[in-house]
């Protein structure tokens, strides 16, 4: 709608001798179409011109703005309401929507700005669990959205591949690994390698409770790893590679792609520089033998180095801030990490501030809530009754299985049910993750999310498929959606849909600014619902020759609703289907 608002603002600006730019964003929708199609509140102008808003609204109503697509301006209190010349507006609106072709929704709003997005970032030697879904998919959707809005995006997978925990793991592997045959053959030959590794780790921790000397042994292993000891390095490397390959299988399935995979280990020899800078600036303090930065009264100190000299997750994060800034000179650096790590990021950002780093106020924690699963009639946080983490792959498999059952029930003769069930099932999981604002907790209800009814990904998929079907059929009937110029789109419902579609690029820009994919998902639900209202009242294809022009226009509209839905689903990371 912005193009149209800009034109009205320019006309007002010229007529009243004011700068039109601030007026462009002032418009709103009248509560009732009877009042007009676009409302302009006169409060801002009132301030500038020092006249009452009611008076200004009256003045605007009396002006001739010289816009052929505006048929009438009326004053209603402090508002000037613009009524559109329907034919003219529809024509121009359709042309505008078509102007970016298949790229509809994209813009150049963020051109020249760089966004670093830290997402997924799982720990190696662990499974990708269901709680990783949120960071992974929200982050991927943000990356897609920022790109569509014209920004340069660097998506980073900040792999958890370093830390004293790996000393314990290596120690456990050395002690018990041969019992499971884990040290005898390459990990890649073992399907259960991660599970077995986790088991060893747990066993180590249990035994260390009664045998504190084990901790010293683990520390020694970590030192070996740090010092580049051949065996320690080789085992760590194998675990890292193997984990990454397993992660990749899930990433491929979810359509997730990173620009950079930079693990915490990468910062091993970059931390000393940052620690030296802390020291130099007098920020490093001793506290209970550890080195810390006092970040403030109300938050605990930020730990830089432990008693035994080892560094921490936070130390590596601080080194990563510097590396990202030096490398990409970002405008924003987003950490798509659960809200539970809020304190960590508050500390981290404060330390960056204290260091006087220019990038400090460009760091953002794009926090999200927890995902709860149904366990025995209650909601639990990603764990089964036995306390095992729920694997992301299993959740995807279940969703696909459910989707397949629903699909086959609707249509037993469905072609290629595997591929379709995969897209619907995985898409449903993704959509459920992104439907509400990210900070909200999600109750993950498999039954509900694969349903074609309600506000689900499956419903949007199905709506998209219906558009594709309708257009295919009309093509066989000899219609061409490219032929319609839009002049027949004059009903209220036509206008509502056109106005809704025109917002798409603005919606994408706002979703980028707020790093909030749900702005796109909610928009798509709105478009689908506006179309269903439309469809209930208007016949799209009318074969009577006297209605050929109207049919062409309506098909043109359907075609652009289709593109909007398709592009929107893709932004969220969902694969839109053309048939099911
Ligand atoms: N590996 C961490 C975890 O699993 C998440 C890392 C998030 N990114 C960061 N730069 N701290 O909790």
């Amino acid at each position: 709608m912005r193009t149209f608002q800009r034109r009205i603002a320019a006309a007002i600006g010229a007529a009243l001798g004011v700068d039109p730019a601030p007026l462009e964003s002032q418009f709103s929708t009248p509560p009732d179409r009877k009042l007009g199609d676009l409302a302009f509140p006169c409060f801002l102008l009132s301030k500038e011109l020092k006249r009452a808003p009611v008076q200004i609204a009256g003045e605007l109503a009396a002006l001739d703005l010289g816009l052929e697509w505006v048929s009438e301006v009326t004053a209603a209190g402090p508002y000037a309401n613009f009524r559109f010349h329907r034919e003219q507006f529809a024509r121009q609106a359709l042309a505008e929507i078509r102007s970016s072709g298949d790229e509809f929704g994209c813009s150049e709003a963020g051109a020249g700005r760089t966004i670093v997005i830290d997402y997924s970032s799982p720990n190696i030697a662990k499974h990708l669990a269901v709680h990783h879904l949120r960071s992974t998919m929200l982050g991927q959707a943000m990356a897609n959205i920022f790109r569509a809005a014209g920004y340069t995006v660097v998506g980073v997978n900040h792999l958890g591949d370093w830390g004293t925990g790996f000393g314990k793991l290596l120690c456990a592997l050395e002690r018990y690994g041969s019992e499971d045959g884990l040290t005898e053959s390459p990990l890649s030959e073992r399907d259960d390698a991660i599970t077995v590794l986790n088991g060893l780790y747990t066993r180590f921790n249990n035994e260390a409770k009664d045998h504190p000397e084990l901790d010293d042994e683990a520390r020694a292993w970590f030192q070996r790893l740090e010092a580049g000891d051949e065996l320690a390095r080789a085992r760590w490397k194998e675990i890292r590679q193997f984990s990454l390959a397993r992660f990749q299988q899930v990433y491929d399935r979810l359509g997730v792609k990173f620009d950079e995979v930079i693990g915490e280990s990468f910062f091993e020899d970059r931390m000393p520089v940052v620690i030296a800078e802390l020291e130099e600036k007098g920020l490093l303090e001793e506290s209970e033998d550890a080195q810390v930065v006092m970040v403030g009264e109300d938050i605990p100190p930020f730990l830089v180095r432990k008693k035994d000299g080892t560094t921490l997750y936070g130390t590596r994060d601080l080194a990563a801030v510097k590396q990202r800034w030096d490398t990409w000179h970002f405008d924003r650096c987003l950490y798509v990490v659960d809200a539970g790590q809020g304190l960590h990021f508050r500390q981290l950002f404060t330390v960056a501030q204290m260091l006087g780093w220019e990038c400090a106020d460009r760091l953002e924690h794009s926090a999200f809530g927890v995902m709860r699963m149904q366990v025995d009639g209650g909601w639990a946080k990603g764990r089964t009754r036995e306390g095992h983490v729920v694997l992301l792959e299993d959740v995807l498999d279940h969703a696909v299985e459910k989707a397949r059952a629903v699909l086959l029930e609707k249509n037993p003769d469905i072609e290629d049910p595997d591929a379709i069930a995969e897209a619907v099932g995985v898409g449903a999981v993704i959509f459920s993750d992104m439907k509400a604002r990210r900070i909200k907790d999600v109750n993950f209800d498999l039954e509900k999310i694969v349903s074609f009814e309600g506000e689900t990904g499956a419903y949007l998929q199905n709506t998209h498929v219906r558009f594709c079907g309708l257009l295919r059929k009309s093509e066989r009937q000899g219609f061409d959606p490219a032929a319609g110029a839009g002049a027949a789109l004059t009903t209220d419902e036509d206008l509502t849909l056109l106005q809704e579609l025109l917002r798409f690029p603005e919606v994408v820009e706002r979703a980028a600014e707020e790093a909030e994919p749900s702005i796109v998902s909610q928009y798509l639900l709105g478009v689908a619902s506006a179309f269903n209202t439309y469809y209930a009242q208007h016949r799209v294809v009318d074969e009577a020759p006297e209605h050929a022009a109207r049919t062409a226009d309506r098909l043109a509209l359907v075609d652009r609703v289709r593109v909007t839905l398709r592009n929107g689903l893709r932004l969220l990371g969902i694969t839109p289907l053309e048939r099911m």
Side-chain angles (χ1 to χ4, degrees), residues 118 120-123 132 158-160 264 313 317 324 335 337-338 341 344-345:
D118 177 324
S120 197
S121 307
N123 297 332
H132 290 111
H158 182 80
L159 221 52
E264 291 184 38
Y313 174 58
D317 250 337
R324 289 172 186 181
Y335 294 83
V337 183
D338 70 278
Q341 293 197 32
H344 165 73
F345 287 109

Side-chain angles (χ1 to χ4, degrees), residues 537-554:
Q537 295 182 39
H538 303 289
R539 181 141 141 226
V540 172
V541 176
D542 188 336
E543 286 181 273
E546 67 270 30
H547 288 139
R550 196 182 69 190
T551 296
D553 282 356
R554 290 189 171 172

Side-chain angles (χ1 to χ4, degrees), residues 70-81:
V70 175
S71 63
E72 188 190 11
V73 189
T74 49
Y79 289 88
N81 289 324

Side-chain angles (χ1 to χ4, degrees), residues 22 183 195 225 228 268 296 384 392 412 447 452 460 484 489 514 524 570:
T183 37
T195 309
L225 184 62
E268 189 52 12
T384 62
L392 182 45
E447 213 65 58
F452 285 88
L460 288 181
L489 302 173
E514 295 182 28
L524 296 181
R570 282 187 185 156

Side-chain angles (χ1 to χ4, degrees), residues 73 97-98 144 163 167 249 262-263 317 324 396 428 453 468 471 536:
V73 189
I97 294 164
R98 275 174 172 162
N144 300 341
Q249 290 171 353
I262 303 180
D317 250 337
R324 289 172 186 181
L396 295 178
E453 267 100 61
C468 294
L471 288 162

